[in-house]
Amino acid sequence: MSSTPSSSGPDGPRSSADEAARALKDIDRSRNEAHSSAINSRWVYVLFAVVFFALFAAPDFLGQGAAGWTSAAFGILAVGYVALLNTRSGSALLGQPVRPRRQEISGRFRRYALLTLLAVLLAGFAIQLLQPHWHLDVPHWRTAVGAAGGGALALFGPRCQQALLSTGRGRGSATGRAGPAAGRPR
């Protein structure tokens, strides 16, 4: 009695190059969809734009006493946002059901992002410490800065986040290309 090879065993026919290419394209498409899902909902950007505007404009309308508590409010907002993003329910609330794996974000991008953040923080501290009591005679300049910053956040926030995610993806994240982390278990 002769046996016929089964298609699922090691002696079965192998998939063709077209099938393999199609499978790799499907994997890339799934990864791209996952990265597209890692963007906050539009309402989050609009809400943060309104809060950004309100906190910037508060000293113009409530007096210089508001300048002290608005800095603390910005800090609380930032810490709360990060805390929400680091929990499943918080991320889902913000409309970001998935998050890219750390292995898919290139180390070079992480280093540049951290160095940029550190430079911005140091520049902010340096300006506050070294400023010789600057007095801008422009009325409601904080309101104008808040409106411009909030508008930019509401309009360009999702596109900027998508661009950062695309830039941050390492070369090894796309199928078929070997990157520095390829082959290393994490």
Side-chain angles (χ1 to χ4, degrees):
M1 183 184 249
S2 69
S3 66
T4 58
S6 81
S7 61
S8 62
D11 296 329
R14 299 202 182 254
S15 56
S16 69
D18 291 337
E19 290 172 341
R22 195 171 30 254
L24 288 175
K25 284 182 183 180
D26 288 343
I27 291 170
D28 278 341
R29 186 178 37 78
S30 296
R31 270 202 184 123
N32 290 335
E33 287 174 1
H35 277 276
S36 297
S37 297
I39 297 173
N40 292 331
S41 294
R42 170 68 74 180
W43 70 266
V44 174
Y45 289 104
V46 172
L47 177 67
F48 280 139
V50 170
V51 170
F52 184 84
F53 169 73
L55 290 177
F56 252 87
D60 286 342
F61 295 104
L62 301 176
Q64 288 301 320
W69 61 264
T70 56
S71 296
F74 272 123
I76 291 169
L77 181 69
V79 169
Y81 177 70
V82 170
L84 281 174
L85 279 181
N86 284 317
T87 63
R88 282 184 191 223
S89 58
S91 291
L93 176 72
L94 294 174
Q96 186 175 346
V98 298
R99 188 167 67 180
R101 295 183 334 193
R102 289 183 189 253
Q103 295 89 350
E104 289 190 11
I105 299 174
S106 72
R108 173 186 256 177
F109 178 79
R110 283 191 297 234
R111 281 189 298 273
Y112 284 139
L114 286 174
L115 287 175
T116 301
L117 181 62
L118 182 64
V120 168
L121 286 172
L122 289 177
F125 286 130
I127 287 172
Q128 285 295 326
L129 291 175
L130 300 176
Q131 73 177 349
H133 299 303
W134 294 345
H135 295 287
L136 296 177
D137 292 332
V138 178
H140 301 292
W141 68 271
R142 289 184 180 103
T143 303
V145 169
L153 181 62
L155 291 174
F156 304 116
R159 283 188 229 149
C160 183
Q161 188 177 10
Q162 180 65 40
L164 285 172
L165 282 172
S166 296
T167 304
R169 282 179 74 176
R171 281 200 262 194
S173 65
T175 53
R177 289 186 264 162
R184 278 192 268 153
R186 298 248 182 207

